[in-house]
């Protein structure tokens, strides 16, 4: 007796179709799973045995062989439990195999037969739709994320005994389809207002002074530029960066699907709400993180913090406290917007369209060049050199905005001009991005930060005096060609904020002043 049931797994951040082949033959009662299963898959034998018994089915007392094909790919996770159980039931003739044609089964089984949710469902369903599956049987706990994949029939299962249509008197499985009209309206005024209300990290309107730093934050958000703040302790570097998500617009629907798929694969949606993620992610790993934790790793690599920050912000607080070898792995993702991890049998690629935000002190004690009152730098030259050597020149070269955040001389008086709020800044960011899209003819084009070489120069209309100023800065500051291009991108974003078609010399000048570390030896 032989049966094939279709299931799926996750490799990297993409789904992979897996065929669960079950053969039952006469012999000593035993069950074996082949096809490079990991311990979680091998342990499914006991889960399936108990679930079948406690759901009113009979576990065959024969020789059972389960093959997970293709057999040369390592399988991990618990998503095959439901398919293995269905394969045993159809192969032993306890239920009909006909309903499972062109049907994908995903789910973990508890010992009493309850179907539990699994991570990575969104990625699995995308792959299933791509290769032509018509129906999906999945746990009820995964329905909220699954409904975003259109043109497929979804059936939610709560218990293993729901597989048997005869016992259900042919009423069929529990069909689920949530109307898209009832879901989030992207960019709606209601949702934007909710974003204001849920800003957990505070409002830029509460920040006293630091107008240049807030201007830098506005530019970074409008053009998705990397930003680095340096200055003594207590000047508000961390506070302002943590307010940065509050001025970012909501993700587009395509971006939200990408981010939700990543979090689903990483198992971050299993607790709490599983609705689509519509706000840009903000990740702030501790400086003790490993290189694998930052960019991803494992026998079958899983997403790291860089990928979890996709379409959002990766915040590295106290940058020199991170090990140098950890920081250096950031160089390729910042340039290529993708993380590539090679293994013996496969190469995995994770998306990494991130905005890097970082902060640092000028020295270990933090007061070098910023002495005031009884605060004096106590660091020796060797200590300062060792501290600064954690950050390489090539990494700094990839950061567009580099500026110093000084200690405010005096608190602003109530009569001073009111500071921009996060809501006002976000509206300016939205208008700048809309102007850029209109300027490019409403085409689906890459953000300015992702363009290089000829494509970059063709996308920027610039005045001759602005080019002359940029060329002069190139010679005077000794900047690299990468920094040259990044200044050009920064100037284009500043022009977009002012709704200007041409990049002027004033835009180039402002962009140059935000390359603070190009003008000093660091």
């Amino acid at each position: 007796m032989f049966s094939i049931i279709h299931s799926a797994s996750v490799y990297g951040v993409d789904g992979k179709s897996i065929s669960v082949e079950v053969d039952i033959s006469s012999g000593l009662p035993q069950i074996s799973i082949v096809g490079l299963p990991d311990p979680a898959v091998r342990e499914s034998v006991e889960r399936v045995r108990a679930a079948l018994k406690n759901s009113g089915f009979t576990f065959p007392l024969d020789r059972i062989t389960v093959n997970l094909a293709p057999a040369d790919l390592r399988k991990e996770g618990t998503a095959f439990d439901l398919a293995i159980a269905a394969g045993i039931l159809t192969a032993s003739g306890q239920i009909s195999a006909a309903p499972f044609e062109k049907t994908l089964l995903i789910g973990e089984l508890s010992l009493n037969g309850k179907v539990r949710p699994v991570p990575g469902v969104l990625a699995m369903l995308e792959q299933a739709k791509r290769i032509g599956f018509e129906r999906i049987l999945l746990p009820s706990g995964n329905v909220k994320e699954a409904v975003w994949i259109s043109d497929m029939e979804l059936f939610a299962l709560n218990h293993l005994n729901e597989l048997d249509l005869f016992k259900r008197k042919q009423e069929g499985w529990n069909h689920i389809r949530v109307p898209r009209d009832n879901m989030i309206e992207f960019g709606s005024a209601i949702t934007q207002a909710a974003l204001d209300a849920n800003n957990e990290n505070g409002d830029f309107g509460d920040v006293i002074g630091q107008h240049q730093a807030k201007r830098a934050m506005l530019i970074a958000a409008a053009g998705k530029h990397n930003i680095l703040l340096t200055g003594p302790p207590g000047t508000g570097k961390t506070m302002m960066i943590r307010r940065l998500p509050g001025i970012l617009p909501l993700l587009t629907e395509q971006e939200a699907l990408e981010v939700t798929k990543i979090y689903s694969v990483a198992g971050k949606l299993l607790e709490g709400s599983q609705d689509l993620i519509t706000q840009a992610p903000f990740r702030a790993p501790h400086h003790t993180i490993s290189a694998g934790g930052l960019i991803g790793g494992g026998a079958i690599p899983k997403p790291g913090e860089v990928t979890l920050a996709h379409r959002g912000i990766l915040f590295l607080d106290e940058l020199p406290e991170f090990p140098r070898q950890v920081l250096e792995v950031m160089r390729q993702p910042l340039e290529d917007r993708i993380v590539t991890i090679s293994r013996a049998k496969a190469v995995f690629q994770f998306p990494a369209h991130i905005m890097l935000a970082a902060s640092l002190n000028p020295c270990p004690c933090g007061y070098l060049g910023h002495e005031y009152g009884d605060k004096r730098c106590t660091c020796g030259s060797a200590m300062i050199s060792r501290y600064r050597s954690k950050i390489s020149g090539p990494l700094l070269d990839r950061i567009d905005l580099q500026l110093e955040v000084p200690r405010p001389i005096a608190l602003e008086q109530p009569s001073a001009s009111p500071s921009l709020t996060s809501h006002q800044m976000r509206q300016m960011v939205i208008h700048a991005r809309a102007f850029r899209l209109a300027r490019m003819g409403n085409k689906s084009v890459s953000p300015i930060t992702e363009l290089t070489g000829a494509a970059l120069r063709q996308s920027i209309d610039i005045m001759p005096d602005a080019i002359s100023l940029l060329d002069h800065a190139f010679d005077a500051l000794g900047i690299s060609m990468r920094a040259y291009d990044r200044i050009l991108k920064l100037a284009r974003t500043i022009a977009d904020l002012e709704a200007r078609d041409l990049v002027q010399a004033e835009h180039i000048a402002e962009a140059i002043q935000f390359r603070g570390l190009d003008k000093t030896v660091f």
Side-chain angles (χ1 to χ4, degrees), residues 34-200:
V34 297
L36 293 181
D38 77 340
V41 179
R42 287 195 294 268
E43 290 170 357
S44 67
V45 171
E46 301 305 325
R47 291 193 298 272
V48 170
R49 189 194 309 272
L52 288 175
K53 177 177 69 69
N54 293 321
S55 300
F57 297 108
T58 301
F59 191 85
L61 296 178
D62 295 295
R63 180 182 178 86
I64 304 173
T65 303
V66 178
N67 178 45
L68 305 178
D72 61 338
L73 292 178
R74 182 167 293 279
K75 320 301 186 304
E76 66 175 7
T78 58
F80 305 113
D81 288 8
L82 184 62
I84 292 173
I88 292 173
L89 291 174
T90 55
S92 62
Q94 298 182 61
I95 63 175
S96 172
F100 300 104
E101 294 182 7
K102 293 187 178 181
T103 301
L104 194 77
L105 279 71
I106 302 168
E108 177 186 336
L109 292 176
S110 64
L111 298 185
N112 64 358
K114 184 179 179 181
V115 184
R116 290 175 170 165
V118 295
V121 163
L122 203 57
M124 297 180 200
L125 265 59
E126 277 191 343
Q127 173 66 11
K129 179 181 178 181
R130 193 177 301 119
I131 62 179
F133 281 98
E134 299 174 354
R135 293 181 296 275
I136 307 292
L137 268 67
L138 75 164
S140 297
N142 288 122
V143 166
K144 282 188 177 180
E145 57 178 303
V147 294
W148 288 95
I149 303 298
S150 59
D151 303 325
M152 298 184 74
E153 288 187 294
L154 299 181
F155 298 92
L157 297 183
N158 291 302
H159 200 275
L160 180 61
N161 57 25
E162 296 176 16
L163 282 179
D164 191 350
L165 295 182
F166 178 77
K167 287 185 177 180
R168 293 173 63 82
K169 300 179 180 179
Q170 305 298 325
E171 65 184 16
W173 297 312
N174 183 22
H175 183 258
I176 297 294
R177 174 51 58 188
V178 178
R180 296 297 296 273
D181 294 341
N182 294 339
M183 296 187 181
I184 297 170
E185 182 182 352
F186 286 84
S188 68
I190 295 175
T191 312
Q192 291 287 354
L195 198 157
D196 282 328
N198 294 329
N199 190 3
E200 299 177 354

Side-chain angles (χ1 to χ4, degrees), residues 283-285 294 314-319 322 327 330 356-359:
R283 304 293 298 183
L294 191 61
L314 178 66
F315 176 34
L316 302 183
D317 198 10
E318 301 297 341
L319 195 63
F322 288 79
L327 293 178
M330 292 286 300
L356 176 64
S359 67

Side-chain angles (χ1 to χ4, degrees), residues 160-285:
L160 180 61
N161 57 25
E162 296 176 16
L163 282 179
D164 191 350
L165 295 182
F166 178 77
K167 287 185 177 180
R168 293 173 63 82
K169 300 179 180 179
Q170 305 298 325
E171 65 184 16
W173 297 312
N174 183 22
H175 183 258
I176 297 294
R177 174 51 58 188
V178 178
R180 296 297 296 273
D181 294 341
N182 294 339
M183 296 187 181
I184 297 170
E185 182 182 352
F186 286 84
S188 68
I190 295 175
T191 312
Q192 291 287 354
L195 198 157
D196 282 328
N198 294 329
N199 190 3
E200 299 177 354
N201 293 317
D203 193 289
F204 269 106
D206 301 329
V207 178
I208 298 174
Q210 305 297 4
H211 299 293
Q212 185 185 33
K214 285 188 280 189
R215 169 70 173 173
M217 293 289 174
L218 178 64
I219 296 170
K224 300 181 181 179
H225 297 284
N226 302 324
I227 184 169
L228 171 67
L229 302 183
T230 179
T235 56
K237 303 185 297 296
T238 299
M239 176 189 65
M240 284 187 286
I241 291 177
R242 288 194 175 276
R243 281 165 164 74
L244 190 53
I247 66 174
L248 293 177
L250 293 173
L251 300 175
T252 65
E253 184 171 349
Q254 181 58 40
E255 291 172 342
L257 282 169
E258 292 175 9
V259 173
T260 306
K261 182 173 78 169
I262 291 169
Y263 276 72
S264 175
V265 168
K268 304 294 186 182
L269 296 180
L270 292 184
E271 296 182 4
S273 174
Q274 292 181 313
D275 289 328
L276 211 62
I277 296 174
T278 58
Q279 296 186 23
F282 182 83
R283 304 293 298 183

